[in-house]
């Protein structure tokens, strides 16, 4: 029997910490309550308080009936395309210099309120990430710079443009150097604008700077394939995937795109019996590692050794020359055999920013004939173009005063460059310094001129994420503040007439319209492209480059050189919430639980349980890292022994009130070696301080408590028995003897399925649900009190084969399962018959609904819910200055969805299957005189899921996809033995694993 557990504490718990009914005593204790709560009734425990509350809490009804004041503005001049109360969707593009997605922007009465994926995109195919979903909230960030500044003083655009133009002309006359320092640009019209700017100012150099660099991959591809480009990766064509420190499902390169591809290879519906096999080598436990069939925790210094050994095994069979290296710490024979059996259908990737490691990866893929199949140079990605050496050279030039003008676009080196002090010193020597930052951030506060850029949702844009694959972006709202698009400023300074919108159209007319034959007029072509949001050109080059083994031979001594790591090793990584920190001031992202650790509002030093024990470290002890930053310890199962990991993107000092003081800035730990920035480092010094620091985690909020909540099996067992791992389901499908009357739904009966084989735990659905349903952010302290308000959660479970409770071996590398949990909408919902005011009735379409105006806050429903999916408003989170990251001013409130009421204090809330979306589509179908189409209704979680793991539909329709999922032999309901008859089913997790990799 497998043992499932959520945390180290839960793993080692004993029966002494349990109540008679098996539930934790801590659940009913007063620990963590405020003085106010204790005074109003929590004098003994929660059970006693609930008894009293049933008779004395009626006053809450008056509080819940209060409605916020809404100001109505007459719509005298209605735009033709706008109908008040109806949403309009605009096709657009999300790209922040780091992440890309083709999106649809939902606009209500002139306000963008929700981001959706564009299903017409051949890259993202309707999927989005948590950061893309949260970007709409950043539009209404009150900490955005509201007007231009000259030396920190407010000014106007006419004056600032005159001064800058004059100084640029002077620098140009003196032949001084001008540098445009930008994040990677994928906008073809912006790249063209840079060239036009250089025509006006010939001494201008454009230098790309990415805070999380892929420079080594570009350099290695140039030297081994002759192309300074990153190819397309086709995980959907790979039968065997081997990844090294590459979180391709979470943060590496293009995770939304790769998640869609990967999920296709894991799909076992519609009679499929084959799936890809995935091996993951990594230091920290990532989303990708948690989904791997077989995972190996390795120290960063082991990566090259293992890769060379893998290369040698394959080279031996492919008659290629070997590379001398010491023996691999992990037996890779079986993996090599799997790869050789699947030549041209395998894929090796590495996320390490090291030229020689990337060269070895290229060599292995070449020997396996993957080039042209799972790796395609016909379409190359433009998402990462920065060169680390170029930026370092610019910093040196700034310090020797040879750079006279510096224009910074979407970069913040003072925050995310490892040698920020040197950059600041150089910046002070530049005569003319300009920043287009949307905020007065860490870098822009040092410049002469701050010209705040528009938010992307206020701007025109275009994008070429991959060669020949284009998308457009359009403004969905007028400028909220006195800002101006960066491209418009560059046009003004270069003397280019017109606006940037016209500039983009002219570029598309000259360069893209002529490449297609479908549309006769440019106007028709432009309008269709803008409406769809995407435009694709056919592949022009039909060849893939050959690998240059001479580079390996010439540098074989450097490649084979593997020095013993100095001291403790460290991985600096991005997490799915904050990434590189661009949206650090976004409270939706700060309160998004990390998919693995479930920590919110902080980063930390992750160490393995055994390593912490050997060092005498405890959870939440504070360590000083390299004498630069202080962070608390998180004991993390799956972390490699002898190494630590720290998330980037935290430690902002000038991002806004939400981000200020949250976590530590790990960019300061980055090293520069072999001409690239290194995020896997050694020689890290860790000094334990006398301090402790509390972490807020959601990982222990819920527990399986020995019940069959997540189910799994192996592919071999599944092939023999489609019900493998789900045998107990058959015991509960029989008719129960029940006091409940049998529910009948003559019209629609809504249901949902979650495929555990496709759900990767990326958290995109959580933010989508939060944006759609006006869910409050409550802050770190309230999360510590177990009051997080998310209607949908993703439980992360560890599992081990051993029965030895507390044994360190099962802590070090457990298997991981992710499970999405929301209200199960049971036909026999146990919450319904305990509510004294019938605030949670069952609808005629099978929904367990909530009448907020009826709810008086007894919380009987919460106590009677076996799924722990109901949430209670302890405070008035909205319009409460104690929670100043919520909807507490008119600007914040613009993001609210008017289709969903904003709940008040004392009300229970939960998932409604996005009933407002159900009603919207029903009305639309009725107006059009037709029936609903299967899959037409998409709750927020369904629509945003990049892996399409969640399905929603009418269970009364025999041929619907949801009906087929309910009949699937992998399908089961949560806690079926309780006879709640849930309207949500889960499809059993299947792993494709062998006993490989023994040391």
């Amino acid at each position: 029997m497998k043992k499932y557990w959520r945390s180290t504490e839960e793993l080692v718990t004993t029966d002494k910490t349990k109540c008679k009914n098996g539930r934790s005593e801590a659940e009913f204790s007063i620990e963590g309550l405020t003085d106010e709560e204790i005074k109003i009734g929590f004098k003994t425990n929660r059970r006693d308080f609930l008894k009293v509350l049933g008779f004395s809490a009626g006053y809450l009804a008056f509080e819940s009936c209060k409605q916020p004041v809404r100001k109505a503005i007459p719509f005298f001049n209605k735009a033709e395309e706008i109908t008040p109360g109806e949403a309009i969707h605009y096709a657009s593009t999300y790209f922040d210099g780091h992440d890309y997605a083709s999106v649809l922007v939902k606009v209500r009465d002139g306000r963008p309120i929700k981001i959706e994926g564009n299903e017409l995109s051949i890259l993202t195919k309707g999927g989005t990430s948590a950061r893309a979903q949260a970007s709409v909230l950043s539009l209404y960030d009150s900490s955005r710079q509201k007007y231009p500044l000259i030396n920190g003083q407010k000014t106007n655009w006419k004056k600032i443009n005159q001064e800058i133009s004059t100084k640029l002309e002077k620098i140009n006359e003196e032949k001084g150097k001008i540098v445009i320092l930008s994040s990677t640009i994928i906008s073809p019209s912006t790249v063209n604008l840079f060239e036009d700017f250089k025509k006006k100012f010939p001494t201008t150099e454009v230098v790309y700077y990415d805070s999380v660099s892929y420079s080594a991959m570009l350099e290695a591809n140039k030297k081994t394939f002759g192309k300074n480009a990153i190819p397309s990766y086709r995980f959907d064509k790979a039968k065997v995937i081997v990844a090294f420190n590459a979180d391709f499902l979470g943060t590496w390169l293009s995770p939304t795109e790769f998640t869609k591809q990967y999920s296709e290879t894991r799909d076992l519906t519609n009679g499929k019996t084959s799936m890809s096999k995935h091996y993951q080598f990594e230091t920290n436990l990532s989303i990708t590692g948690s989904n791997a069939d077989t995972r190996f925790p390795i120290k960063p210094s082991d990566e090259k050794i293992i890769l060379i050994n893998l290369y040698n095994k394959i080279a031996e069979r492919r008659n290629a020359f070997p590379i001398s290296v010491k023996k691999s710490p992990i037996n890779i024979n079986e993996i090599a055999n799997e790869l050789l059996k699947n030549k041209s259908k395998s894929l090796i990737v590495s996320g390490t920013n090291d030229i020689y490691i990337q060269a070895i990866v290229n060599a292995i893929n070449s020997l396996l004939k993957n080039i042209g199949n799972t790796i395609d140079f016909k379409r190359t990605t433009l998402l990462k173009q920065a060169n680390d050496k170029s930026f370092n050279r610019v910093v040196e030039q700034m310090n020797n005063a040879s750079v006279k003008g510096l224009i910074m676009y979407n970069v913040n080196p003072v925050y995310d460059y490892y040698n920020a002090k040197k950059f600041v010193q150089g910046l002070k020597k530049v005569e003319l310094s300009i920043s287009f930052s949307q905020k007065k951030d860490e870098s822009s506060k040092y410049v002469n001129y701050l010209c705040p850029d528009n938010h992307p949702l206020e701007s025109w844009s275009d994008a070429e994420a991959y060669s020949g694959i284009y998308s457009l972006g359009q403004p969905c709202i007028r400028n909220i503040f006195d800002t101006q698009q960066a491209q418009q400023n560059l046009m003004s300074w270069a003397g280019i007439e017109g606006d940037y919108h016209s500039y983009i159209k002219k570029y598309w007319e000259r360069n893209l319209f002529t490449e297609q034959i479908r549309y006769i007029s440019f106007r028709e072509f432009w309008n269709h492209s803008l409406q769809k949001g995407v435009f694709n050109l056919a592949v022009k080059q039909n060849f893939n480059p050959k690998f240059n083994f001479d580079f390996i031979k010439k540098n074989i001594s450097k490649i084979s050189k593997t020095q013993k790591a100095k001291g403790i090793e460290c991985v600096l990584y991005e997490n799915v919430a904050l990434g590189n920190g661009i949206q650090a001031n976004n409270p939706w992202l700060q309160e998004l639980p990390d998919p693995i650790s479930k920590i919110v509002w902080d980063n930390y030093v992750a160490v393995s349980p055994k390593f912490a024990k050997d060092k005498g470290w405890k959870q939440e002890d504070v360590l000083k890292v390299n004498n630069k930053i202080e962070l608390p310890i998180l004991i993390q199962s799956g972390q490699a022994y002898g190494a630590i990991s720290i998330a980037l993107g935290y430690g902002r000092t000038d991002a806004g009130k939400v981000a200020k003081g949250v976590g530590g800035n790990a960019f300061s730990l980055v090293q520069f070696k072999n001409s690239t920035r290194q995020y896997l480092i050694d020689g890290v010094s860790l000094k334990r301080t006398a301090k402790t620091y509390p972490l807020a985690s959601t990982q222990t909020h819920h527990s399986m408590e020995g019940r069959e909540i997540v189910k799994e099996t192996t592919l071999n067992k599944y092939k023999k028995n489609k019900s493998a791992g789900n045998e107990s389901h058959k015991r509960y499908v029989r008719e129960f003897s029940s006091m409940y009357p049998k529910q009948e739904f003559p019209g629609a009966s809504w249901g949902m399925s979650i495929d555990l084989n496709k759900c990767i735990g990326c958290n995109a659905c959580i933010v989508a649900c939060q944006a759609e349903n006006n869910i409050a952010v409550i802050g770190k302290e309230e999360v510590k009190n177990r009051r997080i308000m998310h209607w949908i959660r993703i439980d992360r479970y560890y599992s081990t084969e051993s029965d030895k409770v507390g044994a360190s071996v099962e802590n070090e590398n457990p298997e991981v399962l992710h499970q999405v949990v929301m209200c199960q909408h049971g036909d026999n919902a146990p919450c319904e018959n305990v509510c004294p005011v019938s605030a949670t009735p069952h609808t005629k379409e099978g929904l367990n609904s909530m009448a907020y105006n009826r709810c008086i806050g007894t919380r009987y429903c919460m106590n009677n819910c076996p799924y722990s999916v109901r949430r209670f408003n302890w405070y008035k989170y909205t319009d409460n200055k104690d929670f100043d990251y919520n909807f507490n001013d008119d600007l914040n409130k613009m993001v609210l969805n008017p289709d969903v009421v904003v709940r008040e204090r004392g009300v229970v809330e939960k998932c409604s299957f996005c009933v407002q979306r159900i009603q919207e589509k029903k009305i639309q179908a009725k107006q059009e005189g037709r029936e609903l189409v299967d899959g037409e209704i998409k709750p927020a979680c369904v629509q945003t899921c990049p892996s399409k793991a969640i399905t929603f539909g009418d269970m009364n329709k025999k041929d619907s996809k949801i009906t087929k999922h309910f009949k699937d032999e992998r399908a089961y309901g949560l806690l079926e033995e309780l006879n709640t008859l849930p309207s949500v089913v889960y499809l059993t997790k299947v792993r494709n694993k062998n006993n490989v990799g023994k040391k």
Side-chain angles (χ1 to χ4, degrees), residues 73 160-161 174 219 291 296 381 395 421 425 442 502-503 538 577 616 619 674 757 767 817 839 850 906 960 968 976:
I73 301 174
I160 200 171
N161 283 330
E174 297 172 352
E219 191 72 16
N291 285 278
F296 305 96
T381 180
V395 175
K421 184 178 179 180
Q425 290 172 347
E442 291 87 347
S502 301
Y503 189 93
Q619 185 99 330
N674 296 330
N757 232 41
V767 182
L817 295 95
M850 275 300 306
S960 67
D968 195 298
E976 292 171 304

Side-chain angles (χ1 to χ4, degrees), residues 280-295:
Q280 186 81 6
F281 295 82
E282 61 183 10
T283 304
N284 60 301
L285 180 54
S286 67
I287 289 182
T288 307
S290 70
N291 285 278
D293 296 306
T294 306
R295 177 183 178 273

Side-chain angles (χ1 to χ4, degrees), residues 283 299-302 562-572 625-626 628 642-644 668-674 678-686:
T283 304
K299 295 168 69 173
S301 56
D302 290 334
T562 55
Q563 293 181 337
K564 186 177 180 180
K566 300 175 182 177
I568 296 173
E569 299 178 62
C570 175
V571 170
L572 306 174
V625 186
N626 280 3
K628 292 183 177 179
I644 63 171
S668 62
L669 305 175
V670 174
Q671 297 176 354
F672 190 81
K673 294 180 180 178
N674 296 330
Q678 299 293 313
Y679 303 89
L680 307 183
I681 60 178
D682 63 356
V684 176
S685 66
L686 298 175

Side-chain angles (χ1 to χ4, degrees), residues 54-202:
F55 299 97
S56 62
Y59 74 92
L60 286 175
F62 296 101
E63 182 72 19
S64 66
C65 289
K66 292 180 181 178
Q67 293 293 325
V69 176
R70 294 184 174 90
K71 297 178 181 178
I73 301 174
F75 209 156
F76 287 116
N77 298 309
K78 185 181 81 67
E80 182 180 352
E81 72 276 8
I82 294 178
T83 300
E86 290 186 8
I88 301 175
H89 290 82
Y90 293 96
S92 194
T93 296
Y94 169 75
F95 182 67
D96 60 2
H98 186 63
D99 301 311
Y100 168 83
S102 178
V103 299
L104 301 179
V105 184
K106 182 179 180 180
V107 178
R108 278 291 300 265
D109 302 327
R111 298 178 295 110
I113 62 172
K114 183 72 171 60
I115 299 293
E116 309 289 4
N118 186 351
E119 294 184 352
L120 298 180
S121 169
I122 63 175
L123 294 177
T124 52
K125 299 181 180 179
T128 54
S129 65
R131 292 197 289 268
Q133 285 291 322
S135 63
V136 68
L137 185 60
S138 298
L139 170 66
Y140 305 111
D141 186 352
S142 58
S143 67
R144 287 174 55 196
Q145 182 60 36
K146 299 174 178 61
Y147 40 77
L149 299 176
I150 298 178
N151 295 320
Q153 301 300 313
K154 183 178 180 180
T155 188
N156 58 65
W157 286 105
K158 182 178 181 180
K159 182 178 180 181
I160 200 171
N161 283 330
Q162 285 178 345
E163 286 194 18
I164 291 175
S165 297
T166 301
K167 291 188 177 183
L168 285 172
E169 291 283 1
K170 181 182 177 183
I171 293 173
N172 186 52
E173 291 173 3
E174 297 172 352
K175 300 190 182 303
K177 183 171 184 176
I178 301 170
V179 173
I180 298 178
L181 182 61
S182 169
S183 63
T184 288
I185 296 295
I186 64 172
S187 165
S189 60
T190 301
V191 172
N192 191 75
L193 177 57
F194 285 167
E195 294 302 313
D196 287 345
F197 187 88
K198 289 163 72 173
K199 291 176 183 177
K200 174 72 172 180
F201 305 106

Side-chain angles (χ1 to χ4, degrees), residues 530-565:
L530 189 61
Q531 182 184 29
K532 295 176 181 177
V534 293
F535 170 69
N536 305 318
L537 288 177
V539 177
K540 291 185 177 181
Q541 57 178 35
N542 293 314
F543 69 93
N544 279 283
K546 292 184 178 180
F547 183 78
N548 178 17
F549 279 97
D550 288 340
F551 175 76
I552 301 290
K553 292 178 181 178
K554 292 178 181 177
N555 294 276
I556 197 164
S557 60
K558 295 179 181 178
I559 292 174
S560 61
K561 187 178 181 181
T562 55
Q563 293 181 337
K564 186 177 180 180

